[in-house]
Amino acid sequence: MLTKKQLDLLEFIHKRVQRDGVPPSFDEMKEALDLKSKSGIHRLITALEERGFIRRLAHRARALEIVKLPDALEAKLGQSQSSFKPQVIDGDRPDQRPVAAQSLPTSGAAAGVIDLPVMGRIAAGVPIAAISEVSHNVAVPAAMVGKGEHYALEVKGDSMIDAGINDGDVVIIRETVTADNGDIVVALVEDAEATLKRYRRNGNAIALEAANPAYETRLFRDDQVKVQGRLVGLIRSY
Amino acid sequence: MLTKKQLDLLEFIHKRVQRDGVPPSFDEMKEALDLKSKSGIHRLITALEERGFIRRLAHRARALEIVKLPDALEAKLGQSQSSFKPQVIDGDRPDQRPVAAQSLPTSGAAAGVIDLPVMGRIAAGVPIAAISEVSHNVAVPAAMVGKGEHYALEVKGDSMIDAGINDGDVVIIRETVTADNGDIVVALVEDAEATLKRYRRNGNAIALEAANPAYETRLFRDDQVKVQGRLVGLIRSY
DNA sequence: ATCGAGTTGCTTCTTGGTTAGCATGGGTCG
DNA sequence: CGACCCATGCTAACCAAGAAGCAACTCGAT
């Protein structure tokens, strides 16, 4: 899917985001790939975006984020993730992909809605298998989802109640593999459980904070946690 | 399903992706299969795509990825995978793919939304004038509104925060003039201000409770309070 | 106004995907 | 057995991307 150059750049960006929390500028990428002009970077970036690996805002400095990593890269970088059954891992990203993105609200235009698959429920300690099946779909205002792939989850439990996320709410998740401090994310912990938590990174440590004093913040090494998506919307029915 | 050649090619591609993370070019495949022309490769690739084993972007260099492997190949290559995860993961994706389809928001989805007018903002102590103008519209999943008239309000302030209603949330209100104890309602107090509060009636007294200990419950005679609507839904964007 | 950062146009060279035409060996079907 | 389809092979053009460089332009933020 990717050329060597594209892969190199993607890897570089990923590392920088991991290390600094901030994506590199074109010039930095230019340096990293040992180019003399950043126009080349521009084209590579465009290619990556076209292929769905990154997402970006035009004309915004460093406004890009990694949405997914090719399997090869993930394997290369993510050594330590213990042994686990393939298909489980499979459960996550790769293929729900087609689902969201291209939802250009054609006719519906401004007033559009998008159907997103509800991938199950999520709480503190849900086996990821739970988020690999589509239970049903929900209609979501198109304005809530931007570019990229999205899906929905039903929230179970009260661990995020202080963030205004109640039991039974449906949260809209944008698939990404990165997050900024303070973001609420779906995090896969040790390839075993997915939780909705506030993300905070400190060097190599990642803290997953609940928004409920009754739950403790859990600390992990960065190789124990994989961000699977970021909270972008919430829908509740009374 | 596959001819020998097709299988060979698929295997080769798979190995290369495993090894380099980058799919081979037609020329490389040509070499690998010991052909003298890449047109043959083109046909094989087309066949593989047609049969759903790979996915690709036309006219893009190396833009192809393996979607699934035939059982035979999987068995053959799958030995050592216990400690590895990469490509095996691809294994059963194909099945989830169809999920995608429904994301075409066209007709079906369009029917699933309703445009509601946002009548302004509401908080503790907003002049009713504020809820008489439409500032804009929001798309709301049709499932959220039932019978009756509805409108939306943007919540201002944190008075209902313990009910999971945050500053900036958009609440969907069904117009009614009655409410049951415990409902969250838009109440017009003394014809002067509209607030979003939890409703509780006790004889002739009506209590409007905030969901935030910082605010006091206010008591009124029932002729001082008019229910204007009841909370039925909430939408939040991050 | 100015700086930093992203965007574009244009050029050049290389790599790589697409097509068309023609040929061969295997099967399948009357 | 001959007609025909299909998978393969090969040649040869052809053209579209990928990759790089330089420079000018523009947008956003200060």
Side-chain angles (χ1 to χ4, degrees), chain A residues 207-227:
Chain A
L208 297 181
E209 310 172 347
N212 182 336
Y215 294 79
E216 289 179 13
T217 292
R218 299 199 295 166
L219 285 173
F220 298 94
R221 286 194 320 275
D222 56 6
D223 61 343
Q224 292 177 295
V225 174
K226 278 194 220 155
V227 172

Side-chain angles (χ1 to χ4, degrees), chain A residues 1-4 6-7 50-51 53 68 70-76 78-84 86-87 89-92 94-100 102-108 110-117 119 132-134 137 139-144 161-166 169 184 231-238, chain B residues 17-18 20-23 55-57 59-67 81-94 96-115 138-144 161-166 169 171-172 174 184 198 231-238:
Chain A
M1 199 54 144
L2 290 178
T3 338
K4 185 73 176 63
Q6 294 163 0
L7 189 68
E50 176 186 77
R51 291 166 173 68
F53 289 88
K68 67 183 178 196
D71 301 331
L73 245 193
E74 201 145 353
K76 177 179 172 186
Q79 305 298 0
S80 52
Q81 45 217 237
S82 54
S83 56
F84 211 56
Q87 57 157 214
I89 301 176
D90 182 351
D92 64 333
D95 272 303
Q96 277 83 282
R97 240 183 255 151
V99 178
Q102 63 288 34
S103 338
L104 310 171
T106 33
S107 50
V113 220
I114 291 181
D115 266 338
L116 292 185
M119 308 299 283
S132 61
E133 303 157 13
V134 177
N137 279 37
V140 173
M144 200 177 271
I161 203 155
D162 285 353
I165 302 171
N166 294 4
D169 289 356
I184 294 174
L231 175 62
V232 298
L234 178 148
I235 291 179
R236 180 187 304 158
S237 287
Y238 287 86
Chain B
V17 172
Q18 288 287 288
D20 306 339
V22 176
R55 215 158 57 90
R56 62 193 302 257
L57 299 176
H59 293 287
R60 287 289 186 289
R62 297 165 192 255
L64 91 189
E65 78 181 335
I66 294 182
V67 170
Q81 74 197 64
S82 41
S83 61
F84 209 49
K85 62 258 127 139
Q87 221 52 351
V88 191
I89 299 174
D90 286 82
D92 47 302
R93 307 206 211 168
Q96 267 135 336
R97 192 148 300 206
V99 172
Q102 94 287 51
S103 60
L104 311 170
T106 30
S107 53
V113 220
I114 291 184
D115 260 341
V138 289
V140 173
M144 200 177 270
I161 204 157
D162 285 353
I165 302 173
N166 293 4
D169 289 358
V171 289
I172 313 304
R174 163 152 54 231
I184 293 173
R198 196 176 292 281
L231 176 63
V232 297
L234 180 148
I235 291 180
R236 179 186 306 156
S237 286
Y238 286 83

Side-chain angles (χ1 to χ4, degrees), chain A residues 58-191:
Chain A
H59 288 286
R60 286 290 187 297
R62 297 167 193 253
L64 93 188
E65 74 179 336
I66 294 181
V67 170
K68 67 183 178 196
L69 293 174
D71 301 331
L73 245 193
E74 201 145 353
K76 177 179 172 186
L77 302 172
Q79 305 298 0
S80 52
Q81 45 217 237
S82 54
S83 56
F84 211 56
K85 284 172 259 126
Q87 57 157 214
V88 182
I89 301 176
D90 182 351
D92 64 333
R93 305 332 53 194
D95 272 303
Q96 277 83 282
R97 240 183 255 151
V99 178
Q102 63 288 34
S103 338
L104 310 171
T106 33
S107 50
V113 220
I114 291 181
D115 266 338
L116 292 185
V118 176
M119 308 299 283
R121 302 171 143 227
I122 188 168
V126 170
I128 60 171
I131 71 167
S132 61
E133 303 157 13
V134 177
S135 61
H136 59 286
N137 279 37
V138 288
V140 173
M144 200 177 271
V145 308
K147 273 187 291 189
E149 307 301 320
H150 294 77
Y151 57 94
L153 292 172
E154 185 180 335
V155 174
K156 186 81 191 118
D158 58 356
S159 65
M160 295 301 286
I161 203 155
D162 285 353
I165 302 171
N166 294 4
D167 186 58
D169 289 356
V170 171
V171 290
I172 313 304
I173 306 294
R174 163 154 53 231
E175 291 189 21
T176 78
V177 295
T178 61
D180 295 325
N181 278 348
D183 284 351
I184 294 174
V185 303
V186 173
L188 178 64
V189 178
E190 296 185 334
D191 286 333

